Each structure stands twice: as structure tokens, then as C-alpha cells.
Amino acid sequence: MSAALPASAVALPAPAVDLPGFAQERGFELAAVPYTGRVLLEQLLRSGEPEQAALLGKRLASGEEPALEMAFRPARILVQDYTGIPLLTDLAALRSRVAEPGRVNPALPVDVVVDHSVQADRAGSPDALARNEAIEMGRNQERYAFLKWAEQAFEGLRVIEPGRGIVHQVNLERLATVVTEGPDGQLHPDTVIGTDSHTTMVNGLGVLGWGVGGLEAEALMLGLAQPIRIPAVVGVRLTGAVSPGTSATDVVLALTQRLRREGVTGLMLEFTGPAVAGLSAPDRCTIANMAPEYGAMTAYFPVDEETLAYLRRTGRSAEQVERVAEYCAAQRLLREAGEPVFGRVIEFDLGEVGPGLAGPSRPDQRISLGELPGSFAALLDGPARTEDGVTDGDLVIASITSCTSTSNPQAMLAAGLLARRAVERGLTVPAHVKTSLSPGSRAVTRYLRASGLLADLEQLGFHVVGYGCMTCNGGSGPLNEGVRVGGRTVAAVLSGNRNFEGRVHGQVRAGYLASPALVVALALTGHVRGDLESEPLGLGRDGEPVHLRDIWPSTEELRALEEEFATVEVFTAAEPAGAAWEAIAAPEGEVFAWDERSGYLRLPAYVDPAAPLGPLRGARALLALGDDVSTDHISPVGAITADSPAGRYLTALGERDFNSFGSRRGNHEVMARGAFSNPRLRNRLVGEGEGGGTTLHLPGGERLPVFEAADRYAAEGTPLIVLAGRNYGMGSSRDWAAKGPWMLGVRAVLAESFERIHRANLCAMGILPLLLPAGWAELGLTGREEYGLAFEPGAAEAELTADGRSFTLRADVQSAGEWEVLLAGGTLPFLLGRLRAEEAR
């Protein structure tokens, strides 16, 4: 229960609406409404929808499904550079296509945090940070100049320069206000939509928000609301207490496994129960961060005294904190003693969670420490083998990275304290392990240095390599010199949120998620073949075995270190602008000057209206895929190889440093050539367990790179579909996972189920998402058939024909607005049409 609050010492702006008064007037109990629903109610009232608000309030108060649509308008938009540059490229393209370019402007405040481009090219040395930042600036001059142009060209756009931290940690520590003041001077809840799926992290501070694709964000920026069908709000009731020695990472990995099994995809979760009060704000944010991994739309923790304490610790002013406290108390958004009513409640006992990891290829594959060797052995077809000094199961990457963990002071201090004790016992990290530390903000480095623990981490090779996503996002850089993987199956461990096969590094098949302290521990062993519960980490300088339990920090030690060193001063220290960033010259003018020879920024091909979506005849399956195909599989983010279609295209432009697919998202020619090129993708058209960027051109059956097959189909006038299984599009909110297939000619994806954000992205690109009644193989399809597809706009069903057989499919289009965008050929043609119509009036 939140403590009583003192009377306000300053006059606060008026709230935009009176939630308690409205609930009383309309006859429903506000205390019974989940806090998530209260935020939605406030927005409905502020948008002039009192009848919808009353209906929503009554349904939620009685535990019913909302079964309502609303137009959601966040207070602000948050993007990172990998998604932000394509988004701004699209807006710049719209400016190039209208008579009055200045009319294309954000209607909401937009923050762009540049955090995805820096890579761990250098690691394990004191100069790693300086060298990586210099390489980053050299590689990305053109992209960063474009960002600086955008900042001066678009109103309400702020760019947070490279080297300041990871987008979601910057959001927690600097940007989130919890309560904000609108243009009309009235107060309302801070809400945010982000173009990164882990935008949900700020739910841990009581800020409602979620991730969307860049195309949805573009529509929001231009003043359109996001049409959402309000899902069920499910209560996750936390009981018990976190056991000593168990970290927030351990808790969220256990929750991810449990919630995936519970089937919460696309639902709004709210954490409730007696154990919530015992979780720190960073712990809550760690849990909320991984909402995409357990499939939820949101993972909300109501505002309470701990939220207010976090705001104070991170340097928010007394007036800001008081405003949050007073407003939330008045609007009954402050967590109260009783629990709201939920139509469904999932019970979770924190006391049952122990130390663990997740892997080797999905975040929901939670395992205990003792199960590690068995989980890896299951990947092999026999005993571990050695080749060129590398053995199956060797750990070649160990990275403390990602906002998931580096935003949590106790998690980072645990890694440092474990490192100190390992150094004291004489343990070292084997030479084949690439170690790196990429904090989510410079505050982390400051408190680690102040505590003396940074030096201990550095002694084991965990030098700061940059302030960005880095290894978590696939920017792990080259393996250590002399490490030749060949045909061996090697592993990586990181304190991140995703470990899909090949994501961390193209040569690394096995990936494990773990707390920062366990990352250090595994680095000391140098492999994933051992049982950390019973086997030693190594031999100390005295020749005696050193076990994990011998050097594991206690909860009391970590609390004391946090209180002493993670101070307000750490979070509020001045950070002057970087000289390299300041030196970048920005182009000027309302309209961007496109260069057709640029390898980074091209006028997009999908802005102008294309043929409207309609029935398909004589279609072919470009690929036939299985379950759990991620957006990493569809649109890779990592390195571009010279012998790939994208590499050959860039070579023809005279480029030599190909950088990464993530950095090339402003060039549709590169990205089209990269679609479905991930070597870990399995395309069953070419054989079980094979595929890796190739497919069959039908009906002849010639095996070709996917891009070349699609190019040939286009020349023949053949429309394309994709067959897939369950959870198609899981992972990042990557709009290029929809843009890329569209560029290849795909106009429908047929799957058993879609991940929430990717389904919306398909609609936003004019690609029809269709739900199969069963697996395509179960239906007797092979992917080699000739297909026909008939549907009526707005209808719930579509008819598929395959070599004369017929099937009824369900159109996974969730609002009239989505149908409108689909039929226009996608969001950009839709927006361009609106802009031109307005100009014509």
C-alpha cells in the first residue's frame, strides 16, 4: 500500500479529466478497474469518448473482456536509430512527394536515441571504448548527418547523440515523466509508443506504452491515432519473496517461460499481489522489459512509493516527483491496498525461482544451472569434437550488455563483486572468450568505478566497449583473434533479452541469457559443457577448486553497495556533447537531397501508390517455413557478406565497408536483397533443416538465392505468398521484416499464428496476414502448389485454392483502419493519399 502523501507545497496544473468523479457519475467502482484500464479510461475521456469510457470502465470493473476499439494517442514517441532512420527516411520521402513539404511534421514529441549502431569491433582492452566509438563515427557519417538534418527540419524531434546509452535505459533514467503536462497546460499520464519492442520496459515505472512497427509510428507522428482493439487485462499475481542469491534476471527468465506457456500473446498484463511492494523499480523494469519475449502487449506495474523513490534517485526534481505523487493520488492511479478485478489471474510465487539461464535458442527456454550441459548436448548429434583448437561447447562470447540488466544497479554490482572475488582467488578467463561490457548509460560506469569494481571487471577482460545495444543486437564484432569456429557448435552468453540462433554472431549457434554475474562466471569456465552447481569454475592460485557458491555475492552486500555508490550524483553528472558528433555537418532545407548512388539512404520505392491489394491468381510460395520464425530470420540485422546479393550490390556501388543490415535500413535495395537471407532460416521447400537464404523457383524447381527467385517471379508477373507455422514474426518490432517481403513481391502470409507487432507491420505494408486452420503440412500442402486467393475487403474469411483444393482461412485484420491501409497498398501510400487530398481542398 502507498503511504499517505503530504499536502502539496506548490500549485499544480489541473488534471485534464476527473477519473474518480466520472466513475462515480457513471456507476462503476474505479477501485475494481485494473490500473492499466484506468490509464486507458483517462485517454478516452480526454479524447471526448465518454460513452466508450463508461462501457470500458463497467466491463473492466466486472472482470469482462473489453471487446472495444479505441484510438490510442500517446504523449510521445520513442525510437532508436536502427528503426528511427528508416522512419525518418519515409517521412522525408513524403516531403519529397507533396506540394507543401513543411506540412509533413510530427504532431507529437519524438525522441531518437542513437544506440544501435556501435559495435564491439574491439574488446578486452583499455582503449576498446575509444576505438569502437571512432569506428562507429567513421562508418555512420552519412546516416548521422541525415539525423542532424532531420532534427533541424522536423519540429518536435530531438536526437540523443551516440554514446549516451541504450534507448530504454535512457527512457527510464532521463525521459520518462510518469505524469506529463499537455500543450493545453493540463496534466495527464505519460504514455509512450516506441519503435522497439522493448518499449514496455518503462511499464515498470507506471508509464503505459508498447512497441509498434515504424510504419505505425509514422502514422502517429502525422497525427493519426493508433487503432487498437483493447485486449483482456490479465493479472499476474506475485506472491512470496525473491530468494537470497536470486537475481531479477532469474525472475524474468522464469516468468518468460511460465507466461509463454500460459498463452498471453497480445494481452495486457498487470502485476499485482503482495510481492509487488518488495520489488525495486529496476527489478520491475527488468520484468517489464521482456514482455515481447513472453508475448504480452504490456507488462504494467502501478505507480507507488517505490516509483517515486526511483524518480528521486535518478535526479528528478522535487517538484516533478510531487507532481507525480499528487496527480496519481487524485486520479487513483497510485497503487492502493486492495487488488483490482481481473477476468483472469496467473499466480506466480517468486520464492520458487532460483538462479538459471535461458537457451540455447529462445528466451523462454529457461533452465537451471545444473541443466546447462544437457541443454547444449541436445544440439549435437554425438559427443563434443575438437577442430583447430575449438571444441563443441566452447564459449566464444561473454557479454554484459542490454538495458534488461544494465539498468539494474544490484545486477551490475553483483557482476563486479563476483569478478573481484574471482580475481582474488586467481581465476582468469580463457583467451578464446571475447569479453565485453556495454552499459546502458554512463551512470553505470560511474558507480562501478566509484565502487572500485570496474577495475576488477577489467582485470577479467570486461572493459567498457561502448554505450549501446551492441552484442544484444548482434553487434558483437569479430571473434577473438585465432578463434576459428569451422564446423564446431560454439556458444555465447549475454545478459540480454534475445538469443535466437545466429542473432548474437553468425558463427555462434548456441546463445544463453543470464544475469551479469553468471556471464562473468561462465566466462571463467570458458565453455557451456559444465554444471555450475556442482563443478568448479576453475582452480585458484592455491590449486584448490573454486565453485560458484564460493564467490557468489549476498543480497545484503549488494544492497549496501547500491546505497553507497548508485547515488543521485551518479545519475545527474554532466555529459558534454561529443566532439565527433558536433563536427558532423548537417544538410539544410525542408526537403532532403537524395543521392541515388548512396548505399545508405535512398528514396523508398514503396511510398508511391502501387497496385491495390486484391485477389491473387497463379501465386507461388516464395518460402515454406516452420514455427517460431523470428524477425531476425526474415530481416537480418548483422553483418553483410561480400558474396551475398546485398554485398554484390554494395560492391557495384564502390563500397568496401559493408557495415550491417541494421545500418542499411535507409536503402531499400540493400534490404530487399537481405530479406530471408539469414543462414539459420530453414526453408522446407529446399529440404528439412536447410534453406539459409535460398529457395526453389517453381514450377521448374531451380534452387536460387531468395532475392533472385523473387526477381524472376516478378519478371514473370507471378504474385507470391509465404507459408509459415506458429508465432510467425516473433522478436523485434522490425518493419523491414514486412517491407523486405513486400519488396520481393509477397502479398500474403499464411501462418498458424502471428506475433502481435509483426502482424500489424504486415497490414501496414499492404500484406494480408491469414490464419491457417492447422499447420500447412497437416493440411496436405507442400509449398509447390499453384495458389489462388479470394477475399472481400473487411470480411473475416478468405478462400485459398491450391492445385484445385480449397481451404477457408481467417483474415487476421483487427480493425477497419487496418483494412483501409491494406487496401491502399500500405501506410505510406495511404498517408500520401491523405496529404494530397488535403492539399487539393
Side-chain angles (χ1 to χ4, degrees), residues 613-615 768 789-799 811 813 819 823:
L613 181 67
L768 183 60
L789 187 63
F791 64 91
E792 291 295 327
E797 295 182 342
E799 195 72 19
V813 184
W819 271 113
L823 297 173

Side-chain angles (χ1 to χ4, degrees), residues 148-160:
K148 296 188 85 169
W149 168 81
E151 189 171 30
Q152 60 83 29
F154 292 111
E155 298 171 5
L157 178 73
R158 174 172 55 177
V159 177
I160 296 173

Side-chain angles (χ1 to χ4, degrees), residues 699-713:
E702 182 181 359
R703 185 165 176 170
L704 296 170
V706 171
F707 176 77
E708 293 180 19
D711 203 35
R712 189 176 297 184
Y713 281 127

Side-chain angles (χ1 to χ4, degrees), residues 85 88 112 114 137 140-154 157-159 161-162 577-589 592:
I85 288 178
L88 294 171
V112 182
V114 185
M137 287 296 176
N140 295 285
Q141 283 280 317
E142 184 180 354
R143 298 172 66 243
Y144 290 174
F146 173 75
L147 281 176
K148 296 188 85 169
W149 168 81
E151 189 171 30
Q152 60 83 29
F154 292 111
L157 178 73
R158 174 172 55 177
V159 177
E161 68 177 88
W581 175 258
E582 291 291 291
I584 296 175
E588 297 181 351
F592 186 70

Side-chain angles (χ1 to χ4, degrees), residues 196-241:
D196 187 286
S197 56
H198 295 105
T199 300
T200 52
M201 188 171 197
V202 79
N203 291 181
L205 293 185
V207 175
L208 187 64
W210 55 86
V212 300
L215 292 159
E216 287 182 275
E218 289 164 25
L220 284 164
M221 287 173 67
L222 293 181
L224 300 181
Q226 184 194 16
I228 62 169
R229 186 170 180 81
I230 303 172
V233 181
V234 175
V236 181
R237 191 169 191 274
L238 302 179
T239 58

